């Protein structure tokens, strides 16, 4: 008996919700030159205008993406990481809020893990905006200039990693210091090499990383 009452209540609830979503038949009467016109609307489900507008916008956006010839997955990936399509495809950070001049930072693989060259590449992500301000403050302590701030990611497990960061425009003559944000402070990392378009860094862990040029 309790089960029947429960089923009846569920059925009644469904009917109530359905009634809210359906336009009931209505009669509209209007007098024109003494003649009565009766217009009837059949009961039907209506789509919310806003949902229809969103659907049209999404379709238009999908068509724009298709027209570029770039895979849809790449567009979605770029949007999810807050990157431009160029940054996403090249695994780099080229633009950063809070920095007027940015030296791009990318990573093309070949990371040396625990002394052995691997096929691992670090995914170069954008940091939260607050880290840019923190990096600027750190650069000021060494009279330096922030070139870029990135957040490297990898699923690889390591004790030491030698990472070759691709930084187009960098020259062998530049003095570049690299810092990692650890426990609410910047820690200096060992820079193994600075050469044309590359900065090679020794790391023992992951974390937001700032590249600073000093005089």
């Amino acid at each position: 008996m309790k089960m029947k009452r429960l089923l009846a209540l569920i059925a009644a609830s469904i009917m109530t919700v359905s009634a809210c979503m359906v336009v009931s038949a209505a009669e509209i009467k209007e007098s024109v030159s003494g003649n009565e016109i009766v217009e009837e609307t059949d009961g039907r489900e209506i789509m919310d205008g806003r949902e229809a507008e969103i659907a049209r916008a999404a379709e238009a956006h999908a068509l724009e993406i298709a027209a570029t010839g770039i895979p849809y997955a790449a567009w979605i990936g770029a949007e999810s990481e807050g990157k431009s399509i160029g940054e996403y495809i090249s695994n780099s950070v080229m633009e950063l809020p809070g920095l007027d001049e940015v030296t791009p930072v990318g990573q093309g693989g070949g990371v040396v893990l625990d002394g052995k060259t691997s096929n691992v590449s670090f995914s170069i992500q954008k940091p939260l905006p607050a880290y840019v301000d923190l990096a600027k403050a750190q650069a000021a302590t060494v009279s330096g200039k922030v070139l870029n701030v990135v957040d490297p990611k990898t699923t690889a497990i390591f004790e030491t990693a030698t990472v070759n960061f691709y930084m187009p425009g960098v020259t062998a003559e530049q003095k570049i210091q690299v810092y990692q944000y650890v426990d609410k402070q910047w820690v200096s990392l060992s820079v193994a090499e600075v050469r044309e378009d590359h900065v090679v860094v020794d790391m023992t862990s992951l974390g937001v990383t700032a590249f600073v040029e000093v005089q």
Side-chain angles (χ1 to χ4, degrees):
M1 180 64 70
K2 289 183 177 181
M3 181 59 70
K4 289 183 179 179
R5 291 180 62 188
L6 178 61
L7 292 174
L9 286 172
I10 294 174
S13 299
I14 294 174
M15 291 176 66
T16 301
V17 173
S18 298
C20 295
M21 299 175 63
V22 175
V23 177
S24 61
E27 290 187 355
I28 302 174
K29 295 184 178 181
E30 182 180 351
S31 294
V32 179
S33 300
N35 296 323
E36 193 174 70
I37 300 174
V38 178
E39 181 181 336
E40 294 186 358
T41 58
D42 296 329
R44 57 189 172 82
E45 221 172 88
I46 60 172
M47 178 181 288
D48 180 84
R50 186 175 180 183
E51 290 182 355
E53 184 179 348
I54 292 173
R56 288 193 296 270
E59 182 179 4
H61 183 53
L63 291 173
E64 289 178 3
I65 291 174
T68 66
I70 298 172
Y72 184 70
W75 284 97
I76 296 301
E79 289 183 0
S80 68
E81 294 181 9
K83 289 183 171 184
S84 67
I85 191 66
E87 289 176 314
Y88 181 79
I89 292 176
S90 63
N91 186 34
S92 65
V93 170
M94 304 178 189
E95 300 175 348
L96 206 57
L99 282 185
D100 296 330
E101 297 181 11
V102 178
T103 299
V105 172
Q107 213 291 303
V111 176
V112 178
L113 299 175
D114 298 329
K116 297 180 180 179
T117 302
S118 72
N119 60 359
V120 170
S121 61
F122 280 15
S123 175
I124 304 302
Q125 304 291 315
K126 290 191 176 185
L128 294 173
Y131 287 105
V132 177
D133 293 332
L134 291 171
K136 286 181 175 179
Q138 174 62 25
T141 65
V142 293
S143 300
K145 173 186 176 183
V146 178
L147 300 178
N148 207 335
V149 186
V150 300
D151 190 7
K153 301 289 186 182
T154 184
T155 57
I157 298 174
F158 62 89
E159 292 185 2
T160 62
T162 300
V163 189
N164 183 357
F165 291 98
Y166 176 59
M167 299 182 65
V170 164
T171 65
E173 291 74 29
Q174 283 181 275
K175 295 180 180 179
I176 296 176
Q177 293 184 8
V178 181
Y179 297 92
Q180 187 179 76
Y181 201 72
V182 181
D183 295 331
K184 298 183 179 181
Q185 61 181 348
W186 291 104
V187 176
S188 180
L189 298 181
S190 173
V191 178
E193 181 183 11
V194 176
R195 66 178 189 270
E196 302 297 319
D197 300 330
H198 294 269
V199 176
V200 182
V201 182
D202 292 327
M203 308 174 70
T204 57
S205 64
L206 297 174
V208 174
T209 304
F211 296 82
V212 177
E213 181 181 13
V214 296
Q215 301 301 321

